[in-house]
Amino acid sequence: MCTCDYAVDPAARGHGLRLKVAAVGRAALSFSTSSNASAGTVLRALGGASVDAARDTFVFPLRIGAFLAGRMPAVHARGIGAVADRVVAAGRAVGARPRRGTEIRGISEFGPEFDRLWDRVAARHAVQVVRDAAYLQWRYRRCPYGSPWAAAVVRDDEVRGLVVVGTATSSDVSARPTAGLLELFDDGVVPGARRALLAAGMRYAAGTGAEVMAARAGDPALARLLRTAGFRVRRRDSSPVTYRAGEADLEPFLATDHGWHLSFGDGDAWDRVELGAEVAR
C-alpha cells in the first residue's frame, strides 16, 4: 500500500495511514517505508512493529581529510588527511580480491543469470523486494537519474554475487558527497565473495570523488562485514520500515532483523515483495 501527504500539518502527517490500513483489511503483510516518523508511529499503534535494523546506517569516510575538516585546524586536517588517504588508498588497491577461478566483472545489463542468482539468494530471507533481472534492469539501468555502477562475482560463467554503488540520497547520511552501497549480496558459493565485492565497490566510490560511503544491512553477517571494513553505525531515532503481520504464523519470521533483506537500493520501490520459501511453507 502507498500513501502520500501533501501540505499537511506536521502533527497530522501519517494519520491517513489508519484509513489505508483499514481499507486493505487483514492483508498477510502491511508495511510502511516512510522516513516520516509519524507514519511509523501510527502503524505501530495499529498493532504493527518496526524493523530495528533499518534504523542503522553504516558510514565510512572515503576522504580522511574531509572527515577531519572542522574537527581540527585546516592545515592539520589537510596534512594528516593527505597521509591517511594515501595509506587507505593503498589498502584498497591490494584489498580483498576474488579467489583463483573467480573474477569480478562490470555489469552493463542484467540478464537471465541474475534471475538464477536471485532464486538462490531469496530463500534466505522472510521478506524482500524481488531482485530478479527485470527489477535490477529497471532499477539500475532504466533509472532516469543515471545508471549506478554494478559488478558481479563470476565463477564458471555463473554469477555468484552482485554489488551496486550509486549516489546516496538519504538526508540523514551526510551533507558531504556520498556514495551509497545500493546492493551487496551473494549466493554463498564463493568464499569471501561479499568481501571482495565490497572492496571493489569502495575502490569505485573513492574514485568518483565521494567523501563518504553509506550502507544499510538487514543481514547480521553483512553488518559484521561492514563493521570489520571500518564502517561506523549511525542510529536513527525511529525505523523507516514498519509492518503489521495479518497472520500470526508470520510474526516469528518478521520479528527478527535477518528476516528482512534491506538495502539503500530499496528506497520506496517496494512494488514486488515476496515471502521467502521457509515462510511460504
Side-chain angles (χ1 to χ4, degrees), residues 1 13-18 20-22 24 29-34 36-51 239-245 260:
M1 83 185 151
R13 288 175 186 163
H15 286 270
L17 186 60
R18 182 183 301 274
K20 199 74 173 181
V21 170
V24 299
L29 176 63
S30 305
F31 60 88
S32 167
T33 59
S34 174
N36 175 356
S38 296
T41 299
V42 172
L43 193 56
R44 286 192 296 273
L46 295 173
S50 297
V51 181
S239 172
V241 182
T242 51
Y243 68 92
R244 189 183 72 172
W260 295 74

Side-chain angles (χ1 to χ4, degrees), residues 141-177:
R141 291 297 174 261
R142 296 177 185 165
C143 176
Y145 305 110
S147 296
W149 175 85
V153 160
V154 179
R155 173 178 284 181
D156 298 328
D157 288 327
E158 189 67 23
V159 172
R160 296 296 180 180
L162 173 68
V163 62
V164 180
V165 177
T167 301
T169 58
S170 180
S171 60
D172 65 338
V173 175
S174 174
R176 298 185 178 279

Side-chain angles (χ1 to χ4, degrees), residues 152-238:
V153 160
V154 179
R155 173 178 284 181
D156 298 328
D157 288 327
E158 189 67 23
V159 172
R160 296 296 180 180
L162 173 68
V163 62
V164 180
V165 177
T167 301
T169 58
S170 180
S171 60
D172 65 338
V173 175
S174 174
R176 298 185 178 279
T178 302
L181 185 65
L182 304 182
E183 304 288 353
L184 178 59
F185 58 85
D186 73 311
D187 62 8
V189 171
V190 178
R194 279 203 292 191
R195 183 168 177 264
L197 286 169
L198 175 60
M202 294 173 73
R203 287 192 293 272
Y204 169 80
T208 67
E211 296 180 6
V212 177
M213 190 171 193
R216 176 173 290 162
D219 179 353
L222 177 55
R224 288 193 296 271
L225 174 61
L226 293 172
R227 288 191 179 95
T228 300
F231 283 72
R232 295 290 188 92
V233 178
R234 293 182 182 175
R235 171 153 283 209
R236 297 167 51 121
D237 292 335
S238 62

Side-chain angles (χ1 to χ4, degrees), residues 103-109 114 141 149-154 162-163:
E103 63 176 317
I104 295 181
R105 295 179 186 171
I107 301 299
S108 58
E109 301 288 330
F114 288 93
R141 291 297 174 261
W149 175 85
V153 160
V154 179
L162 173 68
V163 62

